[in-house]
Amino acid sequence: MNAADTAWILTATALVLFMTLPGLALFYGGLVRGRNVLSVFMHCFAIACLMSLLWLGAGYSIAFGGGGGVWGGTDKLFLMGVTPESLTGSLPEILFFAYQMTFAIITPALIVGAYVERVGFGFVLLFSGLWMLVVYAPVVNWIWGGGFLADGGIFGETGVRDFAGGIVVHETAGLAALLVASALGPRKHRTTPPHNPGLVMIGAAMLWVGWFGFNGGSALAANGQAAMAITVTHISAAAASLSWVAWERVKHGRASMVGLVTGTIAGLASITPASGYVGPLQALIIGLVAGILCQEIVVLIRNRTRIDDTLDVFAVHGVGGIFGTIMVAVFGLGNWAAQLGGLAIVGLWTVVASWGLIKLCAAITPLRVDLETETNGLDLTVHGERAYDLNS
């Protein structure tokens, strides 16, 4: 065990949990109508709790057990055989488990943004739990757990390069979000503006800080690679924030706060798969392009399709993660066949498995709330609470 590595990953674990609670919850909560903000908080918090238990029970074993190249097996169900003395590299294995658990929390939580304001709470929990076990955990094994897409797998000595989750986290969550939004249908109040841009900014700022643990921690050591990952993450986020609002100004004559911080998230998602491999100048390029690319995909989906991806999860996270994964090959830091092949294989599995899970869960519990509940808001109708009681 290396004490410096252990201390850094202990910190990174807290930072990544901070991304979901409270960062993502506030970011998403500020973007919805005021009568739905508590439901967003509820979704994020409940998912964090449920994924933690499922990761303990089976998720970690599926991802990092001692099985073959497709799944990890059952060797580590409920952390069987893992003691305080067990090591993964230079880290206590129990810490590695906890760090990876925070990724298993935030990945299905990202999907929340696609279905807010109209989804059934039972569906949220059932789908998120099954999706993490059936889609997310196996993909982790394929790329990070020594599976068939890793080094020495089907793409030869150099496998898929995905440092912190461009494919594992952002592509999978983005595609699943698009499918759930398609199955739900559009909201009745689709054009309602964000009720609290201030919350959006606060949540985005928390995500930015937490992302240092997300990307920097993925080095799994306190070393120069971790420091570079944090630095390029910051540069990409800053560049994408400015390119997003600059493009807004060119197109609409004004730059918005929500646009500025959405650009931040686009830059963070885009640098994620490349953060352990690129330098500052390459991160600057990724960020500048990401701010414009993701914005244009947002416009394309909103205006050219009937899919109501409420908070643009696919356009920002999905497209950002895919773009960053491709840029690893563009800069000559990864194998073109592995990068594109990994995107295609994971994308196909995510689409097929996610659609099947949507249909299964919808047959067990209502997918969408009724019109009256949607109109009155989920906070009071479903959860019996209000975020804002102006009469008290």
Side-chain angles (χ1 to χ4, degrees), residues 241-299:
S241 302
L242 295 177
S243 68
W244 186 295
V245 292
W247 194 238
E248 269 191 339
R249 183 66 182 266
V250 169
K251 293 171 62 179
H252 307 298
R254 52 92 182 119
S256 69
M257 168 56 73
V258 170
L260 180 70
V261 300
T262 304
T264 304
I265 306 306
L268 291 166
S270 297
I271 195 62
T272 291
S275 57
Y277 315 117
V278 301
L281 182 58
Q282 294 161 320
L284 176 64
I285 294 169
I286 288 174
L288 290 174
V289 175
I292 297 173
L293 172 65
C294 293
Q295 185 178 160
E296 286 302 304
I297 301 298
V298 167
V299 174

Side-chain angles (χ1 to χ4, degrees), residues 43-44 46-60 62 104-105 107-109 111-112 115 120-138 176 180 353-354 357-358 360-361 364-365:
H43 294 163
C44 291
I47 285 173
C49 296
L50 180 60
M51 296 313 110
S52 300
L53 301 184
L54 292 176
W55 189 248
L56 168 66
Y60 179 71
I62 294 170
I105 288 170
T107 307
I111 305 171
V112 168
Y115 53 59
F121 184 59
F123 176 86
V124 171
L125 295 182
L126 182 61
F127 175 77
S128 298
L130 291 175
W131 187 87
M132 192 276 284
L133 295 173
V134 173
V135 178
Y136 174 77
V180 176
S354 298
L357 290 175
I358 291 169
L360 173 64
C361 294
I364 297 171
T365 185

